[in-house]
Amino acid sequence: MPDLLLELRSEEIPARMQRKAAGDLRKMLTDGLVEAGLTYEAAREYWTPRRLTLDIRGLTARSKDLHEEIKGPATSAPEQAVQGFLRKAGLTSVAEAHVHSDPKKGDFYVAHISKPGRAAEAIIADLVPGIIRGFPWPKSMRWGPASAKSGSLRWVRPLQSILCTFGPETEEPVVVDFEIDGIRSGNVTYGHRYHAPGEITVRRFDDYVSKLEAAKVVLDADRRKEIILADARNLAFANGLDLVEDEGLLEEVSGLVEWPVVLMGEFEQDFLAIPAEVIRLTIRANQKCFVSRPQGAVEDLSNCFILTANIEAKDGGKEIAYGNGKVVRARLSDALYFWKTDQGDLPDLDQLKASAENFGLDLKKPLDQRMARLDHLGVTFHAKLGTQGERVERIRKLAEELAPIVGADPALAARAAVLAKADLTTEVVGEFPELQGAMGRKYALLQGEHPSVAAAIEEHYKPQGPSDRVPADSVSIAVALADKLDTLVGFWAIDEKPTGSKDPYALRRAALGLVRIVLENKIKLSFSKAIAATVAAALFAYERSGEGAESLGVVAMLNARIQDYRGESRLLPEAGLVAELVKQGLQKAISETSGAADPEREFFDGQRIMELQASLAPFTDDLLAFFHDRLKVYLRDQGARHDLIDAVITPQSDDLLQIVRRVEALGSFLDSENGKNLLAGTKRAANILAAEEKKKTVIAETVEPALFREDAEKALSGAVNQAEKEAGEAIQDEDFSAAMLALSVLREPVDTFFERVLVNDEDQAVRANRLALLARIRAATGKVADFSRIAG
């Protein structure tokens, strides 16, 4: 069967667009061919900086003839209906239609359509120009004299030639002839821009690849990556070094060259005083080069870097390496300046005293100065959620209150929270935003901060993805939880929730991060209480700032959201507690309730927080549902059964660690013979109850032993009493395996009951009593899980 070769050659395509563009070309063309009635055996795309190539094997030479009948209206139908039928069928007059008869419906029109098959070359010639004109580049351009005309061709970079051949392996392929904006298809391509710029005539894919290789073009991007990586490793090893590998950079570099030539450059040893992350990012971002380290080193770098050229220079690449070295040295000089500047005093220290006093900062320390400046400048976090300084105040208070729960020192947690965002105003982070947190940690250690404080400054952003590690240090955990809770509660309060695939504030990632931190560190935390504490921290921060009720920010938004959830047009009294707490001041409210010696401390379990938790119930339920969704995603990725998760989670489940333990215990129990049999019996009981409840059959409110007629009833009642008691005690102790074991005693009496007892007895009182017994089985098992949701 024939094969198709298509190449679209242009000026250099941005590396980040190449892989997707080649995939888009394959999908658009193969979809079009199939829709036109052709089939193919295989298709593969290729790309270099200057070409997109498609190799389609086993393409049918011609589409099949098409015969179909299109049924029309009755012959007596109005003219308008008849004309619509003619347009649909492509007929010019009713005389071209046939009349069919039906004994019931009478006479009606039918169009007999016959379309002869088309040659594949004609189909391809029609498809490709349309694909080129409608290609989904993120950005495209017009060029040359034709660009002045309306509707002229657009491409990512000027399109220079089109190669399109078609034919079987045993015959000479033909050129599929078409033209687009003066560019006519042919069987000619061109090699490397400098080494082999002349014409290359090709027949089919195999000689196309070999001739390009001879013309210094490696067509396969994955092979270019393998060449670059292997040569870079070998070159580093030959110089007593190890390559610092970077998959993202390797992908980009392979899209910058058609003929990769790996070289080594170097810079002065003095620049190694700059942190390794800064050196690596400077060289990566500006020169697209790899860095190296001494063999066996973990963090230290060497002063040698690896670059990938696109030509084989006559001098072996010495001038190329030297030129890249000059640029790298200039960039590293800037980085060294940023690094030293960040460790010096700011010129506007006198203006930062108020902010320093507010946060307890020491203006003799560089990082403290940067935090004071962040607050002083009033840098906005979000228009409806206040400034970064206000947010830091909220996070500080919340981290301080969360610290005892996660085993952290509250003072260290508060200090880490205050400095967590300080590096946002440093020069290095201004140049390389991806180093936020990492630079804060380095500057914190340089000014003598506690190691846990320094670690928390970097780790409170984690995890930033499903493969990223979670913080393990207790101070880092406290600040990370506080940061993510403040983000989620704040954006939920202003109704900026994720919608569909849109999540501009990465709230799903923040929620999944919270889930992972809690579960992987085995933290027992009530999320509904944590949400209330987050709001309380916001109240405390606003009261402390002296802005009062005139500028409530997130608090005012919460009041409005509570009204929305309640479905009321006015502020309800219990929701009004939020405003009341602002008005009175959180310190006063807490001290009146708890009588604490220090009202700024220990309010996480205070009475006012409990009241606030109740006020926020509708808001909290909505946010909890979002956490449950993220938890389900996490557990399913861990291999948990979705039906077990659904059986355990209720809308009010706010202890995620407890949910996971329930799922684990339930899974183990159901894997046993007792578990499988009890599940069957429980589901049978639930089904009978559901059917009788639907029929509104009378079910007794309590089980009356005097109405028992069978020994199996008495045995089951006693087993239920025992199971309820023991399972309840086990659940109280959060020993869910013991709770499942307690329920297992029901297995035999439930089986015996259904074997020997007729539930729907003729005596209405006996029937109601037996149904009540089944209801007790459902209630007893329901304390552990909703067995009706479990498959099987």
Side-chain angles (χ1 to χ4, degrees), residues 118-143:
R118 300 177 65 205
E121 298 97 304
I123 294 173
I124 296 165
D126 285 347
L127 278 175
V128 175
I131 290 171
I132 293 174
R133 286 195 179 277
F135 203 80
W137 291 110
K139 292 183 178 180
S140 58
M141 61 179 289
R142 292 194 293 261
W143 64 92

PDB file of all heavy atoms in Angstrom, residues 118-143:
ATOM      1  N   ARG A 118     -12.535   8.769  -4.521  1.00  0.00           N
ATOM      2  CA  ARG A 118     -11.536   9.729  -5.013  1.00  0.00           C
ATOM      3  C   ARG A 118     -10.145   9.181  -4.782  1.00  0.00           C
ATOM      4  O   ARG A 118      -9.882   8.461  -3.809  1.00  0.00           O
ATOM      5  CB  ARG A 118     -11.683  11.078  -4.306  1.00  0.00           C
ATOM      6  CG  ARG A 118     -13.026  11.742  -4.499  1.00  0.00           C
ATOM      7  CD  ARG A 118     -13.074  13.027  -3.683  1.00  0.00           C
ATOM      8  NE  ARG A 118     -12.104  14.014  -4.167  1.00  0.00           N
ATOM      9  CZ  ARG A 118     -11.587  14.991  -3.409  1.00  0.00           C
ATOM     10  NH1 ARG A 118     -11.917  15.088  -2.139  1.00  0.00           N
ATOM     11  NH2 ARG A 118     -10.725  15.842  -3.936  1.00  0.00           N
ATOM     12  N   ALA A 119      -9.232   9.567  -5.634  1.00  0.00           N
ATOM     13  CA  ALA A 119      -7.832   9.186  -5.467  1.00  0.00           C
ATOM     14  C   ALA A 119      -7.266   9.859  -4.230  1.00  0.00           C
ATOM     15  O   ALA A 119      -7.607  11.005  -3.904  1.00  0.00           O
ATOM     16  CB  ALA A 119      -7.027   9.575  -6.704  1.00  0.00           C
ATOM     17  N   ALA A 120      -6.407   9.133  -3.519  1.00  0.00           N
ATOM     18  CA  ALA A 120      -5.816   9.684  -2.297  1.00  0.00           C
ATOM     19  C   ALA A 120      -5.067  10.977  -2.578  1.00  0.00           C
ATOM     20  O   ALA A 120      -5.095  11.911  -1.764  1.00  0.00           O
ATOM     21  CB  ALA A 120      -4.886   8.656  -1.660  1.00  0.00           C
ATOM     22  N   GLU A 121      -4.378  11.051  -3.756  1.00  0.00           N
ATOM     23  CA  GLU A 121      -3.629  12.267  -4.068  1.00  0.00           C
ATOM     24  C   GLU A 121      -4.546  13.494  -4.094  1.00  0.00           C
ATOM     25  O   GLU A 121      -4.180  14.572  -3.601  1.00  0.00           O
ATOM     26  CB  GLU A 121      -2.922  12.144  -5.425  1.00  0.00           C
ATOM     27  CG  GLU A 121      -1.891  11.033  -5.487  1.00  0.00           C
ATOM     28  CD  GLU A 121      -2.460   9.775  -6.102  1.00  0.00           C
ATOM     29  OE1 GLU A 121      -3.499   9.291  -5.571  1.00  0.00           O
ATOM     30  OE2 GLU A 121      -1.895   9.274  -7.082  1.00  0.00           O
ATOM     31  N   ALA A 122      -5.758  13.325  -4.661  1.00  0.00           N
ATOM     32  CA  ALA A 122      -6.689  14.450  -4.745  1.00  0.00           C
ATOM     33  C   ALA A 122      -7.177  14.847  -3.362  1.00  0.00           C
ATOM     34  O   ALA A 122      -7.334  16.041  -3.046  1.00  0.00           O
ATOM     35  CB  ALA A 122      -7.873  14.075  -5.643  1.00  0.00           C
ATOM     36  N   ILE A 123      -7.432  13.851  -2.522  1.00  0.00           N
ATOM     37  CA  ILE A 123      -7.886  14.142  -1.156  1.00  0.00           C
ATOM     38  C   ILE A 123      -6.801  14.879  -0.378  1.00  0.00           C
ATOM     39  O   ILE A 123      -7.056  15.872   0.302  1.00  0.00           O
ATOM     40  CB  ILE A 123      -8.276  12.824  -0.447  1.00  0.00           C
ATOM     41  CG1 ILE A 123      -9.503  12.209  -1.124  1.00  0.00           C
ATOM     42  CG2 ILE A 123      -8.545  13.077   1.029  1.00  0.00           C
ATOM     43  CD1 ILE A 123      -9.866  10.833  -0.612  1.00  0.00           C
ATOM     44  N   ILE A 124      -5.555  14.398  -0.499  1.00  0.00           N
ATOM     45  CA  ILE A 124      -4.436  15.044   0.202  1.00  0.00           C
ATOM     46  C   ILE A 124      -4.247  16.479  -0.291  1.00  0.00           C
ATOM     47  O   ILE A 124      -4.037  17.400   0.514  1.00  0.00           O
ATOM     48  CB  ILE A 124      -3.142  14.223   0.003  1.00  0.00           C
ATOM     49  CG1 ILE A 124      -3.289  12.843   0.655  1.00  0.00           C
ATOM     50  CG2 ILE A 124      -1.936  14.959   0.582  1.00  0.00           C
ATOM     51  CD1 ILE A 124      -2.230  11.840   0.208  1.00  0.00           C
ATOM     52  N   ALA A 125      -4.326  16.653  -1.615  1.00  0.00           N
ATOM     53  CA  ALA A 125      -4.137  17.996  -2.188  1.00  0.00           C
ATOM     54  C   ALA A 125      -5.207  18.961  -1.706  1.00  0.00           C
ATOM     55  O   ALA A 125      -4.954  20.178  -1.598  1.00  0.00           O
ATOM     56  CB  ALA A 125      -4.149  17.904  -3.712  1.00  0.00           C
ATOM     57  N   ASP A 126      -6.399  18.461  -1.416  1.00  0.00           N
ATOM     58  CA  ASP A 126      -7.455  19.318  -0.874  1.00  0.00           C
ATOM     59  C   ASP A 126      -7.252  19.594   0.610  1.00  0.00           C
ATOM     60  O   ASP A 126      -7.526  20.699   1.096  1.00  0.00           O
ATOM     61  CB  ASP A 126      -8.832  18.658  -1.072  1.00  0.00           C
ATOM     62  CG  ASP A 126      -9.311  18.751  -2.517  1.00  0.00           C
ATOM     63  OD1 ASP A 126      -8.708  19.524  -3.287  1.00  0.00           O
ATOM     64  OD2 ASP A 126     -10.282  18.048  -2.859  1.00  0.00           O
ATOM     65  N   LEU A 127      -6.784  18.583   1.352  1.00  0.00           N
ATOM     66  CA  LEU A 127      -6.686  18.697   2.808  1.00  0.00           C
ATOM     67  C   LEU A 127      -5.540  19.593   3.283  1.00  0.00           C
ATOM     68  O   LEU A 127      -5.726  20.455   4.148  1.00  0.00           O
ATOM     69  CB  LEU A 127      -6.501  17.301   3.429  1.00  0.00           C
ATOM     70  CG  LEU A 127      -7.733  16.439   3.658  1.00  0.00           C
ATOM     71  CD1 LEU A 127      -7.315  15.058   4.167  1.00  0.00           C
ATOM     72  CD2 LEU A 127      -8.644  17.109   4.698  1.00  0.00           C
ATOM     73  N   VAL A 128      -4.358  19.367   2.747  1.00  0.00           N
ATOM     74  CA  VAL A 128      -3.150  19.995   3.318  1.00  0.00           C
ATOM     75  C   VAL A 128      -3.207  21.528   3.289  1.00  0.00           C
ATOM     76  O   VAL A 128      -2.886  22.173   4.298  1.00  0.00           O
ATOM     77  CB  VAL A 128      -1.882  19.470   2.621  1.00  0.00           C
ATOM     78  CG1 VAL A 128      -0.643  20.211   3.132  1.00  0.00           C
ATOM     79  CG2 VAL A 128      -1.740  17.967   2.867  1.00  0.00           C
ATOM     80  N   PRO A 129      -3.606  22.186   2.189  1.00  0.00           N
ATOM     81  CA  PRO A 129      -3.662  23.658   2.227  1.00  0.00           C
ATOM     82  C   PRO A 129      -4.590  24.181   3.328  1.00  0.00           C
ATOM     83  O   PRO A 129      -4.262  25.173   3.995  1.00  0.00           O
ATOM     84  CB  PRO A 129      -4.184  24.021   0.827  1.00  0.00           C
ATOM     85  CG  PRO A 129      -3.752  22.883  -0.047  1.00  0.00           C
ATOM     86  CD  PRO A 129      -3.889  21.676   0.811  1.00  0.00           C
ATOM     87  N   GLY A 130      -5.716  23.514   3.528  1.00  0.00           N
ATOM     88  CA  GLY A 130      -6.624  23.952   4.593  1.00  0.00           C
ATOM     89  C   GLY A 130      -6.015  23.777   5.967  1.00  0.00           C
ATOM     90  O   GLY A 130      -6.200  24.612   6.860  1.00  0.00           O
ATOM     91  N   ILE A 131      -5.295  22.676   6.157  1.00  0.00           N
ATOM     92  CA  ILE A 131      -4.630  22.435   7.446  1.00  0.00           C
ATOM     93  C   ILE A 131      -3.577  23.507   7.703  1.00  0.00           C
ATOM     94  O   ILE A 131      -3.454  24.033   8.817  1.00  0.00           O
ATOM     95  CB  ILE A 131      -3.999  21.025   7.458  1.00  0.00           C
ATOM     96  CG1 ILE A 131      -5.101  19.967   7.503  1.00  0.00           C
ATOM     97  CG2 ILE A 131      -3.041  20.863   8.634  1.00  0.00           C
ATOM     98  CD1 ILE A 131      -4.592  18.549   7.309  1.00  0.00           C
ATOM     99  N   ILE A 132      -2.798  23.839   6.669  1.00  0.00           N
ATOM    100  CA  ILE A 132      -1.751  24.864   6.830  1.00  0.00           C
ATOM    101  C   ILE A 132      -2.380  26.214   7.178  1.00  0.00           C
ATOM    102  O   ILE A 132      -1.900  26.924   8.069  1.00  0.00           O
ATOM    103  CB  ILE A 132      -0.903  24.959   5.552  1.00  0.00           C
ATOM    104  CG1 ILE A 132      -0.095  23.672   5.361  1.00  0.00           C
ATOM    105  CG2 ILE A 132       0.026  26.170   5.603  1.00  0.00           C
ATOM    106  CD1 ILE A 132       0.670  23.597   4.056  1.00  0.00           C
ATOM    107  N   ARG A 133      -3.453  26.568   6.479  1.00  0.00           N
ATOM    108  CA  ARG A 133      -4.087  27.877   6.745  1.00  0.00           C
ATOM    109  C   ARG A 133      -4.720  27.924   8.139  1.00  0.00           C
ATOM    110  O   ARG A 133      -4.729  28.980   8.775  1.00  0.00           O
ATOM    111  CB  ARG A 133      -5.137  28.170   5.677  1.00  0.00           C
ATOM    112  CG  ARG A 133      -4.548  28.554   4.331  1.00  0.00           C
ATOM    113  CD  ARG A 133      -5.589  29.178   3.419  1.00  0.00           C
ATOM    114  NE  ARG A 133      -5.005  29.564   2.139  1.00  0.00           N
ATOM    115  CZ  ARG A 133      -4.350  30.713   1.942  1.00  0.00           C
ATOM    116  NH1 ARG A 133      -4.204  31.564   2.945  1.00  0.00           N
ATOM    117  NH2 ARG A 133      -3.840  30.997   0.759  1.00  0.00           N
ATOM    118  N   GLY A 134      -5.252  26.806   8.603  1.00  0.00           N
ATOM    119  CA  GLY A 134      -5.939  26.816   9.892  1.00  0.00           C
ATOM    120  C   GLY A 134      -5.131  26.230  11.026  1.00  0.00           C
ATOM    121  O   GLY A 134      -5.701  25.844  12.056  1.00  0.00           O
ATOM    122  N   PHE A 135      -3.799  26.177  10.871  1.00  0.00           N
ATOM    123  CA  PHE A 135      -2.971  25.509  11.878  1.00  0.00           C
ATOM    124  C   PHE A 135      -3.015  26.266  13.213  1.00  0.00           C
ATOM    125  O   PHE A 135      -2.895  27.501  13.239  1.00  0.00           O
ATOM    126  CB  PHE A 135      -1.529  25.395  11.391  1.00  0.00           C
ATOM    127  CG  PHE A 135      -0.775  24.285  12.056  1.00  0.00           C
ATOM    128  CD1 PHE A 135      -0.933  22.981  11.630  1.00  0.00           C
ATOM    129  CD2 PHE A 135       0.075  24.536  13.118  1.00  0.00           C
ATOM    130  CE1 PHE A 135      -0.248  21.939  12.249  1.00  0.00           C
ATOM    131  CE2 PHE A 135       0.767  23.511  13.734  1.00  0.00           C
ATOM    132  CZ  PHE A 135       0.601  22.204  13.304  1.00  0.00           C
ATOM    133  N   PRO A 136      -3.166  25.543  14.331  1.00  0.00           N
ATOM    134  CA  PRO A 136      -3.367  26.203  15.637  1.00  0.00           C
ATOM    135  C   PRO A 136      -2.080  26.624  16.342  1.00  0.00           C
ATOM    136  O   PRO A 136      -1.818  26.207  17.479  1.00  0.00           O
ATOM    137  CB  PRO A 136      -4.107  25.123  16.439  1.00  0.00           C
ATOM    138  CG  PRO A 136      -3.556  23.830  15.910  1.00  0.00           C
ATOM    139  CD  PRO A 136      -3.329  24.068  14.435  1.00  0.00           C
ATOM    140  N   TRP A 137      -1.275  27.469  15.708  1.00  0.00           N
ATOM    141  CA  TRP A 137      -0.081  27.987  16.388  1.00  0.00           C
ATOM    142  C   TRP A 137      -0.500  28.917  17.528  1.00  0.00           C
ATOM    143  O   TRP A 137      -1.439  29.709  17.364  1.00  0.00           O
ATOM    144  CB  TRP A 137       0.784  28.777  15.411  1.00  0.00           C
ATOM    145  CG  TRP A 137       1.452  27.966  14.350  1.00  0.00           C
ATOM    146  CD1 TRP A 137       1.164  27.964  13.022  1.00  0.00           C
ATOM    147  CD2 TRP A 137       2.539  27.058  14.523  1.00  0.00           C
ATOM    148  NE1 TRP A 137       1.986  27.100  12.341  1.00  0.00           N
ATOM    149  CE2 TRP A 137       2.844  26.527  13.245  1.00  0.00           C
ATOM    150  CE3 TRP A 137       3.274  26.627  15.618  1.00  0.00           C
ATOM    151  CZ2 TRP A 137       3.865  25.606  13.048  1.00  0.00           C
ATOM    152  CZ3 TRP A 137       4.290  25.693  15.425  1.00  0.00           C
ATOM    153  CH2 TRP A 137       4.583  25.194  14.166  1.00  0.00           C
ATOM    154  N   PRO A 138       0.179  28.898  18.675  1.00  0.00           N
ATOM    155  CA  PRO A 138      -0.127  29.873  19.734  1.00  0.00           C
ATOM    156  C   PRO A 138       0.085  31.306  19.255  1.00  0.00           C
ATOM    157  O   PRO A 138      -0.660  32.209  19.603  1.00  0.00           O
ATOM    158  CB  PRO A 138       0.862  29.518  20.850  1.00  0.00           C
ATOM    159  CG  PRO A 138       1.264  28.100  20.577  1.00  0.00           C
ATOM    160  CD  PRO A 138       1.215  27.935  19.090  1.00  0.00           C
ATOM    161  N   LYS A 139       1.121  31.484  18.419  1.00  0.00           N
ATOM    162  CA  LYS A 139       1.396  32.786  17.796  1.00  0.00           C
ATOM    163  C   LYS A 139       1.819  32.523  16.356  1.00  0.00           C
ATOM    164  O   LYS A 139       2.515  31.553  16.073  1.00  0.00           O
ATOM    165  CB  LYS A 139       2.502  33.537  18.537  1.00  0.00           C
ATOM    166  CG  LYS A 139       2.132  34.003  19.931  1.00  0.00           C
ATOM    167  CD  LYS A 139       3.263  34.795  20.561  1.00  0.00           C
ATOM    168  CE  LYS A 139       2.873  35.302  21.941  1.00  0.00           C
ATOM    169  NZ  LYS A 139       3.970  36.082  22.574  1.00  0.00           N
ATOM    170  N   SER A 140       1.409  33.398  15.461  1.00  0.00           N
ATOM    171  CA  SER A 140       1.784  33.234  14.061  1.00  0.00           C
ATOM    172  C   SER A 140       2.038  34.604  13.439  1.00  0.00           C
ATOM    173  O   SER A 140       1.779  35.639  14.072  1.00  0.00           O
ATOM    174  CB  SER A 140       0.682  32.490  13.286  1.00  0.00           C
ATOM    175  OG  SER A 140      -0.546  33.179  13.375  1.00  0.00           O
ATOM    176  N   MET A 141       2.555  34.617  12.202  1.00  0.00           N
ATOM    177  CA  MET A 141       2.926  35.882  11.568  1.00  0.00           C
ATOM    178  C   MET A 141       2.652  35.825  10.071  1.00  0.00           C
ATOM    179  O   MET A 141       2.491  34.748   9.477  1.00  0.00           O
ATOM    180  CB  MET A 141       4.415  36.158  11.808  1.00  0.00           C
ATOM    181  CG  MET A 141       5.337  35.089  11.221  1.00  0.00           C
ATOM    182  SD  MET A 141       7.100  35.403  11.480  1.00  0.00           S
ATOM    183  CE  MET A 141       7.342  36.782  10.381  1.00  0.00           C
ATOM    184  N   ARG A 142       2.561  36.996   9.454  1.00  0.00           N
ATOM    185  CA  ARG A 142       2.561  37.114   7.989  1.00  0.00           C
ATOM    186  C   ARG A 142       3.899  37.720   7.578  1.00  0.00           C
ATOM    187  O   ARG A 142       4.559  38.383   8.382  1.00  0.00           O
ATOM    188  CB  ARG A 142       1.405  38.011   7.538  1.00  0.00           C
ATOM    189  CG  ARG A 142       0.032  37.409   7.757  1.00  0.00           C
ATOM    190  CD  ARG A 142      -1.028  38.180   6.988  1.00  0.00           C
ATOM    191  NE  ARG A 142      -1.207  39.521   7.491  1.00  0.00           N
ATOM    192  CZ  ARG A 142      -2.178  39.891   8.315  1.00  0.00           C
ATOM    193  NH1 ARG A 142      -3.060  39.004   8.731  1.00  0.00           N
ATOM    194  NH2 ARG A 142      -2.293  41.129   8.731  1.00  0.00           N
ATOM    195  N   TRP A 143       4.278  37.526   6.324  1.00  0.00           N
ATOM    196  CA  TRP A 143       5.582  38.023   5.884  1.00  0.00           C
ATOM    197  C   TRP A 143       5.559  38.318   4.389  1.00  0.00           C
ATOM    198  O   TRP A 143       4.668  37.869   3.658  1.00  0.00           O
ATOM    199  CB  TRP A 143       6.673  36.994   6.205  1.00  0.00           C
ATOM    200  CG  TRP A 143       6.493  35.705   5.459  1.00  0.00           C
ATOM    201  CD1 TRP A 143       7.024  35.350   4.263  1.00  0.00           C
ATOM    202  CD2 TRP A 143       5.669  34.596   5.857  1.00  0.00           C
ATOM    203  NE1 TRP A 143       6.606  34.111   3.882  1.00  0.00           N
ATOM    204  CE2 TRP A 143       5.774  33.614   4.850  1.00  0.00           C
ATOM    205  CE3 TRP A 143       4.859  34.355   6.963  1.00  0.00           C
ATOM    206  CZ2 TRP A 143       5.105  32.409   4.915  1.00  0.00           C
ATOM    207  CZ3 TRP A 143       4.194  33.145   7.036  1.00  0.00           C
ATOM    208  CH2 TRP A 143       4.310  32.186   6.030  1.00  0.00           C
TER     209      TRP A 143
END
